[in-house]
Amino acid sequence: SYVGTLRTVFSMAKRWKYVVENPFSDVPLPKWEKPRPRTYSIEEIRAILRMTAQHAPECLDIFLVYLLTGMRASEAIRLEWQDIHFEQGYIELKQTKGKKIRYVPMGPIVRAIFLRRRSAVRPFDTFVRSSTHRKQQRKFDGMFLSKQWKRMANLAGVPDAQLKRTRGTYATALLEVANVSLLAAQSIVGHADIETTKQYYFNPLSEDILEKIPAIDAMFQDLLPQKTEQIVGNKWATPPENPRN
């Protein structure tokens, strides 16, 4: 923020004795609610994949893997066959951003993609035609795939599209569809800070969640005193002294 910048500038000026005091030292930094990160809807994903199948079929497999594993672009490109554990059902990521080994579950679609590509030297050792030289070919790289994703999204009419947002889309699916824990989702997607993972939760006061809360109350119903207050509709009410009458 501008306050933080001015505070730093005047702090350096004070250190160099250009000013006596820092007028921004006690000025509080402005606070604002961080918006929920952009993720893709099912309709947007379907539209992008449809355009990919028509205009860039060589990218379809790796786009599906991104959407269904939450891997970073470079992580999928660097995969070796020994990283794919078919029998155990997971992918071992050794070359990650955080320099730590990460394990990602492998669903049926991803498994089928890898089995179909088994004859290749590496899972995504794919050559594509260069846009600058008609006969020249080159391997997949992050820049090429990011541009292709954006191009397919433009063809599909999907705004504000970036390949890296497939990770957030997968994180949302883990939390809201698969109902995995925050810690599990953080580990699978590879967020260094759990606060980053938390951003992909839906509103904790959504109707879907509020409808599930009474089930928790029911678990404790038998533990409550007989004359305790109870909820009737949306109002508090005290149970009658003699329910039979």
Side-chain angles (χ1 to χ4, degrees):
S1 69
Y2 69 92
V3 175
T5 302
L6 289 171
R7 180 185 294 177
T8 301
V9 170
F10 276 92
S11 177
M12 296 299 294
K14 181 180 178 182
R15 182 183 304 173
W16 295 335
K17 302 189 184 302
Y18 286 110
V19 297
V20 178
E21 296 294 336
N22 184 346
F24 290 90
S25 60
D26 295 325
V27 178
L29 294 174
K31 296 181 179 180
W32 62 86
E33 184 177 350
K34 192 173 183 179
R36 191 167 185 263
R38 162 91 160 96
T39 56
Y40 298 110
S41 67
I42 293 296
E43 292 74 19
E44 289 176 328
I45 292 171
R46 185 179 292 115
I48 292 173
L49 294 180
R50 187 182 300 118
M51 289 298 103
T52 303
Q54 293 177 14
H55 302 282
E58 72 277 3
C59 297
L60 186 58
D61 281 354
I62 199 166
F63 283 173
L64 281 167
V65 168
Y66 286 142
L67 286 163
L68 294 171
T69 64
M71 281 192 274
R72 296 179 176 89
S74 59
E75 292 171 344
I77 294 169
R78 295 171 181 169
L79 282 174
E80 303 283 351
W81 283 118
Q82 58 263 32
D83 302 328
I84 315 297
H85 299 267
F86 289 101
E87 292 186 7
Q88 293 83 0
Y90 70 87
I91 303 165
E92 184 177 3
L93 302 180
K94 300 172 183 175
Q95 302 183 57
T96 65
K97 182 179 178 180
K99 309 298 182 183
K100 296 179 179 179
I101 294 178
R102 195 167 85 248
Y103 302 97
V104 177
M106 180 171 51
I109 295 177
V110 174
R111 177 186 172 85
I113 288 172
F114 286 136
L115 286 173
R116 188 171 67 249
R117 303 176 69 89
R118 200 67 177 88
S119 60
V121 177
R122 298 166 65 190
F124 291 111
D125 196 20
T126 302
F127 286 81
V128 293
R129 189 174 298 280
S130 171
S131 59
T132 55
H133 299 86
R134 189 171 183 179
K135 294 183 178 180
Q136 182 180 351
Q137 292 185 324
R138 58 187 173 83
K139 293 183 179 181
F140 274 161
D141 60 50
M143 183 178 294
F144 169 80
L145 291 168
S146 294
K147 288 182 178 180
Q148 285 292 80
W149 178 269
K150 191 171 185 64
R151 188 168 76 90
M152 296 305 107
N154 288 337
L155 290 173
V158 177
D160 194 23
Q162 295 182 37
L163 180 60
K164 65 181 182 181
R165 290 187 173 131
T166 56
R167 284 172 45 75
T169 302
Y170 180 66
T172 299
L174 285 174
L175 294 167
E176 302 299 332
V177 180
N179 293 317
V180 306
S181 69
L182 264 175
L183 286 174
Q186 179 193 14
S187 176
I188 292 170
V189 180
H191 290 149
D193 186 351
I194 199 169
E195 293 300 320
T196 303
T197 314
K198 284 182 179 179
Q199 296 179 67
Y200 297 99
Y201 256 135
F202 287 142
N203 182 357
L205 296 180
S206 66
E207 291 184 4
D208 180 60
I209 293 177
L210 290 177
E211 288 175 358
K212 297 176 182 178
I213 297 301
I216 300 176
D217 287 21
M219 294 170 58
F220 295 88
Q221 193 64 44
D222 293 338
L223 303 178
L224 299 176
Q226 291 184 357
K227 293 186 179 182
T228 189
E229 291 181 326
Q230 59 183 236
I231 294 180
V232 177
N234 292 324
K235 298 181 179 179
W236 286 98
T238 303
E241 292 294 330
N242 190 349
R244 294 184 179 180
N245 296 333

